[in-house]
Amino acid sequence: MMLRSIAAVGHDSEFDEPPRVPALERVEKSVRPAVLQAISSIQERYFEPITLAELASEVFVSRFHFSRMFADATGVTPGRFLTAVRLFEAKRLLLTTSLNVSDIVCSVGYSSVGTFTSRFSRAVGMTPTQYREPQVAELLVAISPTFQRLPPLRTLRAAGRSCASLQTGTGVLSMQLDMPRGSAPAETLVGLFADPVPQCGPVAFGGMANMSSGELTIHGVPAGRWTAIAVAQHQPGAGGPRFSIGYQGVTVAPYGQSTARVGLRAPAATDAPIAITLASKQSPFTQRMLAAQRPHLRAVA
């Protein structure tokens, strides 16, 4: 497995604002080129300490207006997008190179190994060293404009309850998935996350093989407000996209069945890159014990 390189930059607290669901179609066509230019600048200068003011000045708008139009186009603030790109690159290097952590820290723009390690561990749920375990790559879900990866459902079944850090819940979520027009049936996975740009595993997920537009039900979902991210890897030979993705905010009741609907589309340049593993940070011995006790994922069809 090989993740293609994508740039990463630092995080600046001045960027922090509540994230929003992506809605590029709401953005005026006149401002879309400015957002795409800013994203391109992020990807080209990820190792530099880029600031919000610099990005805004490059597209000739005020910081306030830039933050607003960027969030409208991408669903997240500039700071959240920069952090997502940076962590995507760090994960790529951890999984595909033999660079030591200090070298990776420098290459993604951090100046302190300790700061990077603590931020990475807090966001991802495992240390950079733990992230290099083979099962992390085997159970990786990656989404970026240039690279998409979905682990086979049979691999998820074989991994059993060692997958992710699933929480115990009593809710049931029925998701109506609308695939892109003209697309072929797909191996499909839907995860529920606390963050719209997740860095660690979902609280619950479900999957289905050979799926067209239709319903996918996830059991054992914790009550609360989550971001549902649906990814589909389509069979070759049709005119639609080979890979599609969809985002939707969902509310799950503590008991009974909740419903939601999400439309999938081809990945776009305005999507913040995501790389999350469904592997647990537990020891291999504990993983084997749990897998033996529950050989099939409850949520994966």
Side-chain angles (χ1 to χ4, degrees):
M1 183 279 302
M2 180 68 180
L3 289 178
R4 297 189 186 280
S5 176
I6 189 165
V9 296
H11 182 278
D12 193 323
S13 60
E14 70 173 323
F15 296 160
D16 288 343
E17 296 173 13
R20 285 178 266 183
V21 175
L24 184 59
E25 67 275 4
R26 293 205 312 261
V27 181
E28 295 181 13
K29 291 182 179 180
S30 61
V31 306
R32 294 182 191 178
V35 173
L36 293 176
Q37 180 181 334
I39 291 173
S40 178
S41 181
I42 290 169
Q43 294 170 347
E44 292 173 0
R45 300 170 50 205
Y46 62 90
F47 46 85
E48 299 178 8
I50 303 174
T51 67
L52 177 63
E54 289 172 339
L55 290 173
S57 66
E58 287 182 8
V59 295
F60 304 103
V61 296
S62 69
R63 294 195 327 178
F64 175 80
H65 182 57
F66 173 73
S67 294
R68 187 74 174 268
M69 72 181 191
F70 192 97
D72 284 343
T74 66
V76 295
T77 62
R80 296 295 297 277
F81 197 97
L82 299 179
T83 299
V85 172
R86 181 180 206 179
L87 286 174
F88 188 94
E89 175 68 2
K91 292 174 180 178
R92 181 192 72 81
L93 293 172
L94 286 168
L95 292 176
T96 64
T97 74
S98 59
L99 292 172
N100 59 44
V101 174
S102 61
D103 290 335
I104 292 174
V105 167
C106 294
S107 69
V108 299
Y110 278 102
S111 58
S112 166
V113 174
T115 299
F116 169 81
T117 299
S118 65
R119 289 185 179 180
F120 185 95
S121 302
R122 185 169 59 249
V124 178
M126 60 182 73
T127 67
T129 300
Q130 289 172 324
Y131 205 81
R132 285 184 142 154
E133 291 293 325
Q135 194 183 41
V136 169
E138 185 181 15
L139 298 179
L140 187 74
V141 179
I143 306 162
S144 81
T146 58
F147 180 85
Q148 301 89 36
R149 183 185 188 276
L150 184 64
L153 297 184
R154 63 180 180 273
T155 302
L156 298 179
R157 294 191 193 98
R161 289 290 298 184
S162 66
C163 281
S165 53
L166 302 181
Q167 299 180 15
T168 302
T170 57
V172 177
L173 177 64
S174 293
M175 292 284 298
Q176 172 64 37
L177 304 181
D178 298 326
M179 298 294 182
R181 182 176 299 178
S183 63
E187 194 161 86
T188 306
L189 188 69
V190 178
L192 303 180
F193 300 89
D195 195 302
V197 187
Q199 301 298 339
C200 59
V203 299
F205 66 95
M208 185 177 295
N210 198 36
M211 185 180 184
S212 299
S213 294
E215 189 175 277
L216 189 153
T217 300
I218 306 175
H219 297 270
V221 182
R225 178 73 176 172
W226 311 106
T227 297
I229 301 180
V231 290
Q233 187 165 303
H234 299 272
Q235 299 171 6
R242 185 73 175 88
F243 193 96
S244 60
I245 184 170
Y247 302 82
Q248 183 61 51
V250 300
T251 300
V252 178
Y255 296 97
Q257 183 166 308
S258 304
T259 60
R261 186 170 198 147
V262 60
L264 283 78
R265 53 166 174 76
T270 48
D271 293 329
I274 296 171
I276 62 105
T277 182
L278 298 177
S280 169
K281 68 176 181 179
Q282 297 163 341
S283 69
F285 174 78
T286 303
Q287 291 175 346
R288 287 195 296 271
M289 290 293 292
L290 288 171
Q293 294 168 6
R294 294 199 171 190
H296 298 289
L297 277 177
R298 173 185 56 199
V300 176

